[in-house]
Amino acid sequence: MGDILSIVSKRLGLGVVTLLVISIIIFGAVELLPGDIAQAVLGQGATEENLAAMREQLGLDRAAPIRYFEWLGNAVTGDFGRSLVSQQPVSEAISTRFANTLFLALYAAIIAVPVAIFLGVLVALFRNSVFDRVANVVTLTSISSPEFFLGYILILFLSVKTGYFPAIAKIDDGMSLIDKLDRTFLPALTMVLVVVAHMMRMTRASIINLLASPYVEMARLKGVPAWKVIVKHTLPNAWAPVINVVALNLAYLITGVVLVEVVFVYPGIGQLLVDAVTKRDFPVVQACCLIFAATFILLNLAADVGSILTNPRLRHPK
Amino acid sequence: MNYFIIGFYALVIGASTLAAYYQKRTTFILLFSLTLISFVMGIVGGEAMLWSVTILAGLIAFSAGVSYSFREFLIILLPEDLAKEMRTAPLTAGFGLFVIFTYAISGIFAPIIAPYGEAEVISSAFAPADENMLLGADQLGRDMFSRIIYGARNTVGLALLATILAFAMGATAGLYAATKGGKLDQLLGRIVDVIMSIPSLIFSLLLLSIFGTNTVTLIIVIAIIYAPRVFRLARSVGGNVVVMDYIEAAKLRGEGTWYLIRKEILPNSTAPLIAEFGLEFCFVFLLVAGLSFLGLGIQPPTADWGSMVRENATLISFGEITPLIPAGAIALLTVAVNFVVDWMLYRSSGLKE
């Protein structure tokens, strides 16, 4: 077991370092602004007093490394400073929106994961059949479509033409869960379509890889029945790639949500980020980017750790 | 029951029976699933639904026909060795090539094909289609059709430029790192790891919020974000080539690094790199489309598919499909490139199980 622990802790350490480097990039990118934040926000016509006041307020008179550590320290405790546009604390705007985004991603994941794995295993077992070919074309089409294309198609057919679901996913805290699920069905379905396609293809590839390995052939040759080959020989080895696939796609869900949120006017963190970018509200941009990047890295980390933990060869060292 | 329904079922059932009789397994399965689907559709949706099924099936058959003829056309036109490759291409690849060809033509000859200029206001806002305007007018009264044609030039052109730049940077750095190895290789590898661990859409939003959104910044930002993917592939492909004896021989001849990359390594790693170029283009294209959709990509009045979707999105709530056309144009090109790449990957890799 010592082996696994050291591998996992090494991987976790690497994740923390990556996160730190990325926080430096996110902080440093704003420092690259021509002039400084005050100049960029107030524009060329700003008076010297205004600039000075803004610099004072943002604490720009101190050295960048000091401000970086302050910013990071505050960010870890959930304080992202104040928005340049609304002067409200950024964390206030973010907390409910982040919860909304997580809700949407979770909703999509709960539908997508079982469907995708089931279908993925199915196409792997019936590979090169008509079913597999059709599935290949359909999933490829779904992956290649931009999210807003799928979203608007769904709006057109399931909302405008038939009126089954609402086109605009406006939710607030007072709504019951059923209401929320109904309102957010279309955005969730859009993400499900993309993610299922991705996951199916990845699951198919990893299962086919497994079925081509020598021990499966050996099992077949010694006369093990087909279902037993799958359950006893393939499945224990398939967990690692499947967990990997799931975690990678959850990471995709979290970030792919931006476009979907804009299409459906969903009050999530992606929409906040886009608004902030348009208004050049840097504290909000930094906070959103940091949250997205951190979630993305954590899920990737989970994928790696998961596949290490489920690897039979590592769990039973010689 | 009217004649259409009777005729429809007679046709699908008759066709599947024929296929079964002549032992055409694949055709039979396709036709019979179509029959079953249309039974369900017919019961649920009635005649209207059956019409949609017919139109859909007709569209698929039509595109299959077009792909087939285009493939045959290429086989006749191309020189002998390329034609041999084309014969093995699946229909989907023929379809992809046909679509790419069409887009290239409409992008290159946009001013000749489009009836109006891309920023020319010729009618009132959201005017419906008439004999002058094939697809109606957009939110400012510009001809939708002309703008879609110009979009093939602007959107695809920008994505292509960004991909080429990303490719040039990534492949050069990757092959150089593979040849030289050592500290530089390690350093580049770490930089690439960090860039790749930030989601690309988020990273591009961050960079664009700082550097502003003009076309040049857009191309450079996208190229920087996508170069790492090429770097990794080029490095690993190059790494396999570098250990070959002929590289050793070239080194002993006293050839320089640049010569090695250009004359020895690059020619031996083109196949995977070309496939990667296609994939990379798809990613870049979708990112450009997404950014434009968010209003942060190509700026108006330049015609661009992503922003056209956003600007006309209100029409959706009136049941119009106009905003879906530019979005569909994006999807179609990405699908087409993916089909071609799929075939190339299948050909060059051992994925033949």
Side-chain angles (χ1 to χ4, degrees), chain A residues 25-34 36-37 39-41 84-85 270 272-290, chain B residues 200-214 217-218 221-222 225 291 294-297 299:
Chain A
I25 291 181
I26 291 174
F27 182 83
V30 174
E31 298 293 314
L32 285 181
L33 276 173
D36 60 3
I37 299 187
Q39 187 85 55
V41 171
L84 294 181
V85 177
L272 186 70
L273 172 60
V274 174
D275 284 347
V277 170
T278 331
K279 291 179 194 150
R280 310 194 78 185
D281 189 348
F282 296 109
V284 180
V285 173
Q286 284 177 322
C288 292
C289 286
L290 193 62
Chain B
S200 50
L201 183 63
I202 307 297
F203 201 14
S204 51
L205 284 177
L206 175 71
L207 293 182
L208 287 179
S209 78
I210 288 157
F211 298 113
T213 48
N214 62 59
T217 354
L218 200 64
V221 162
I222 294 175
I225 291 174
L291 286 174
L294 296 175
L296 300 163
Q299 294 302 311

Side-chain angles (χ1 to χ4, degrees), chain B residues 109-157:
Chain B
F109 299 108
I112 303 172
I113 299 172
Y116 301 100
E118 57 180 324
E120 207 176 321
V121 177
I122 55 159
S123 161
S124 58
F126 295 131
D130 54 30
E131 66 269 21
N132 287 327
M133 298 181 296
L134 206 56
L135 299 170
D138 71 352
Q139 88 284 6
L140 294 178
R142 295 169 296 193
D143 180 32
M144 197 76 184
F145 177 70
S146 307
R147 281 178 73 74
I148 286 183
I149 298 289
Y150 272 102
R153 169 178 275 196
N154 303 331
T155 317
V156 179

Side-chain angles (χ1 to χ4, degrees), chain B residues 37-347:
Chain B
I37 290 170
S38 34
F39 273 135
V40 177
M41 290 297 193
I43 293 165
V44 175
E47 197 186 327
M49 202 65 126
L50 279 188
W51 271 114
S52 339
V53 173
T54 318
I55 292 171
L56 203 67
L59 266 181
I60 292 173
F62 176 73
S63 32
V66 169
S67 334
Y68 181 77
S69 5
F70 190 69
R71 191 178 71 188
E72 295 303 310
F73 169 71
L74 283 182
I75 290 175
I76 294 169
L77 272 194
L78 288 174
E80 192 51 43
D81 49 334
L82 281 173
K84 213 182 230 166
E85 298 279 2
M86 271 315 293
R87 275 200 196 95
T88 63
L91 271 189
T92 45
F95 178 72
L97 287 173
F98 174 72
V99 171
I100 294 171
F101 178 74
T102 320
Y103 276 57
I105 293 291
S106 61
I108 295 168
F109 299 108
I112 303 172
I113 299 172
Y116 301 100
E118 57 180 324
E120 207 176 321
V121 177
I122 55 159
S123 161
S124 58
F126 295 131
D130 54 30
E131 66 269 21
N132 287 327
M133 298 181 296
L134 206 56
L135 299 170
D138 71 352
Q139 88 284 6
L140 294 178
R142 295 169 296 193
D143 180 32
M144 197 76 184
F145 177 70
S146 307
R147 281 178 73 74
I148 286 183
I149 298 289
Y150 272 102
R153 169 178 275 196
N154 303 331
T155 317
V156 179
L158 186 124
L160 207 57
L161 276 179
T163 318
I164 291 171
L165 185 60
F167 221 77
M169 297 195 311
T172 317
L175 292 179
Y176 191 76
T179 330
K180 275 281 175 183
K183 287 256 168 55
L184 183 84
D185 184 22
Q186 290 286 326
L187 180 71
L188 284 174
R190 290 297 84 73
I191 294 176
V192 159
D193 281 349
V194 169
I195 296 183
M196 283 184 75
S197 64
I198 310 178
S200 50
L201 183 63
I202 307 297
F203 201 14
S204 51
L205 284 177
L206 175 71
L207 293 182
L208 287 179
S209 78
I210 288 157
F211 298 113
T213 48
N214 62 59
T215 316
V216 179
T217 354
L218 200 64
I219 293 178
I220 294 174
V221 162
I222 294 175
I224 288 174
I225 291 174
Y226 277 105
R229 281 179 50 96
V230 190
F231 173 85
R232 277 201 183 167
L233 186 86
R235 194 185 162 281
S236 75
V237 172
N240 288 336
V241 179
V242 166
V243 292
M244 296 288 178
D245 287 342
Y246 55 82
I247 301 290
E248 191 69 19
K251 272 185 191 159
L252 289 176
R253 278 206 310 272
E255 306 287 4
T257 314
W258 185 235
Y259 174 90
L260 285 179
I261 293 176
R262 223 160 26 96
K263 293 279 172 168
E264 305 283 350
I265 301 176
L266 196 58
N268 288 297
S269 34
T270 35
L273 282 179
I274 289 175
E276 175 66 19
F277 185 84
L279 276 183
E280 187 89 354
F281 173 78
C282 289
F283 288 123
V284 169
F285 187 52
L286 284 180
L287 181 67
V288 170
L291 286 174
S292 306
F293 175 74
L294 296 175
L296 300 163
I298 303 171
Q299 294 302 311
T302 312
D304 159 70
W305 290 337
S307 37
M308 281 166 77
V309 179
R310 182 192 182 80
E311 287 158 1
N312 294 290
T314 40
L315 279 182
I316 279 281
S317 38
F318 302 107
E320 297 268 352
I321 60 156
T322 327
L324 289 182
I325 298 169
I330 296 166
L332 189 64
L333 181 60
T334 327
V335 173
V337 175
N338 260 323
F339 278 159
V340 178
V341 169
D342 227 30
W343 166 55
M344 282 172 26
L345 281 178
Y346 185 81
R347 226 165 35 89

Side-chain angles (χ1 to χ4, degrees), chain A residues 52-69:
Chain A
M54 183 134 189
R55 286 192 184 122
E56 173 90 52
Q57 184 200 345
L58 294 169
L60 288 183
D61 43 352
R62 282 162 304 149
I66 298 176
R67 277 183 290 125
Y68 166 70
F69 283 112

Side-chain angles (χ1 to χ4, degrees), chain A:
Chain A
M1 282 311 275
D3 236 17
I4 287 201
L5 273 184
S6 76
I7 295 175
V8 169
S9 53
K10 237 183 234 162
R11 188 65 194 79
L12 286 177
L14 196 63
V16 172
V17 172
T18 318
L19 211 51
L20 274 178
V21 173
I22 284 171
S23 71
I24 294 178
I25 291 181
I26 291 174
F27 182 83
V30 174
E31 298 293 314
L32 285 181
L33 276 173
D36 60 3
I37 299 187
Q39 187 85 55
V41 171
L42 296 176
Q44 290 297 325
T47 60
E48 272 307 315
E49 292 96 71
N50 282 346
L51 282 177
M54 183 134 189
R55 286 192 184 122
E56 173 90 52
Q57 184 200 345
L58 294 169
L60 288 183
D61 43 352
R62 282 162 304 149
I66 298 176
R67 277 183 290 125
Y68 166 70
F69 283 112
E70 267 181 18
W71 174 74
L72 190 67
N74 288 338
V76 170
T77 54
D79 175 15
F80 291 102
R82 280 172 186 278
S83 154
L84 294 181
V85 177
S86 67
Q87 298 299 331
Q88 299 293 313
V90 176
S91 49
E92 234 171 64
I94 283 185
S95 55
T96 50
R97 279 169 173 267
F98 188 49
N100 285 345
T101 296
L102 283 183
F103 172 75
L104 183 60
L106 197 68
Y107 187 11
I110 287 174
I111 304 176
V113 171
V115 172
I117 291 177
F118 178 71
L119 288 177
V121 173
L122 218 58
V123 285
L125 289 181
F126 294 102
R127 60 187 174 281
N128 297 334
S129 66
V130 180
F131 175 50
D132 182 31
R133 297 260 168 79
V134 173
N136 182 31
V137 172
V138 172
T139 52
L140 208 55
T141 313
S142 169
I143 291 175
S144 316
S145 309
E147 284 92 344
F148 52 83
F149 182 51
L150 296 174
Y152 281 127
I153 288 184
L154 291 180
I155 289 187
L156 183 65
F157 287 106
L158 292 182
S159 172
V160 177
K161 295 250 179 193
T162 53
Y164 292 146
F165 299 100
I168 290 184
K170 263 213 153 34
I171 63 166
D172 52 64
D173 294 333
M175 288 162 69
S176 70
L177 185 63
I178 303 287
D179 262 1
K180 268 191 182 177
L181 290 180
D182 177 54
R183 287 279 176 95
T184 50
F185 183 73
L186 286 187
L189 188 62
T190 312
M191 283 160 54
V192 165
L193 284 178
V194 180
V195 169
V196 162
H198 267 287
M199 278 169 91
M200 257 179 84
R201 291 177 76 84
M202 288 161 89
T203 315
R204 176 183 180 275
S206 51
I207 298 277
I208 285 182
N209 255 342
L210 278 180
L211 289 179
S213 47
Y215 59 80
V216 172
E217 195 174 2
M218 174 68 202
R220 273 195 205 132
L221 288 176
K222 74 182 182 197
V224 178
W227 65 270
K228 225 174 174 178
V229 174
I230 300 278
V231 174
K232 283 251 171 179
H233 296 260
T234 319
L235 216 51
N237 291 292
W239 283 124
V242 167
I243 287 178
N244 223 329
V245 169
V246 170
L248 288 181
N249 280 287
L250 289 183
Y252 165 79
L253 264 181
I254 295 285
T255 57
V257 86
V258 176
L259 287 170
V260 177
E261 279 177 6
V262 172
V263 170
F264 291 92
V265 204
Y266 184 78
I269 191 172
Q271 181 131 61
L272 186 70
L273 172 60
V274 174
D275 284 347
V277 170
T278 331
K279 291 179 194 150
R280 310 194 78 185
D281 189 348
F282 296 109
V284 180
V285 173
Q286 284 177 322
C288 292
C289 286
L290 193 62
I291 289 179
F292 272 122
T295 325
F296 191 75
I297 291 170
L298 283 180
L299 283 167
N300 276 315
L301 202 61
D304 282 0
V305 173
S307 58
I308 293 171
L309 289 181
T310 49
N311 187 339
R313 251 167 280 167
L314 284 176
R315 262 185 304 142
H316 307 288
K318 279 176 213 156

Side-chain angles (χ1 to χ4, degrees), chain B residues 5-67:
Chain B
I5 298 184
I6 297 173
F8 180 86
Y9 282 121
L11 193 73
V12 279
I13 295 174
S16 20
T17 324
L18 272 181
Y21 183 77
Y22 287 108
Q23 308 264 312
K24 299 278 187 221
R25 205 179 121 83
T26 319
T27 329
F28 172 71
I29 295 177
L30 276 179
L31 280 171
F32 198 67
S33 4
L34 182 66
T35 317
L36 291 181
I37 290 170
S38 34
F39 273 135
V40 177
M41 290 297 193
I43 293 165
V44 175
E47 197 186 327
M49 202 65 126
L50 279 188
W51 271 114
S52 339
V53 173
T54 318
I55 292 171
L56 203 67
L59 266 181
I60 292 173
F62 176 73
S63 32
V66 169
S67 334

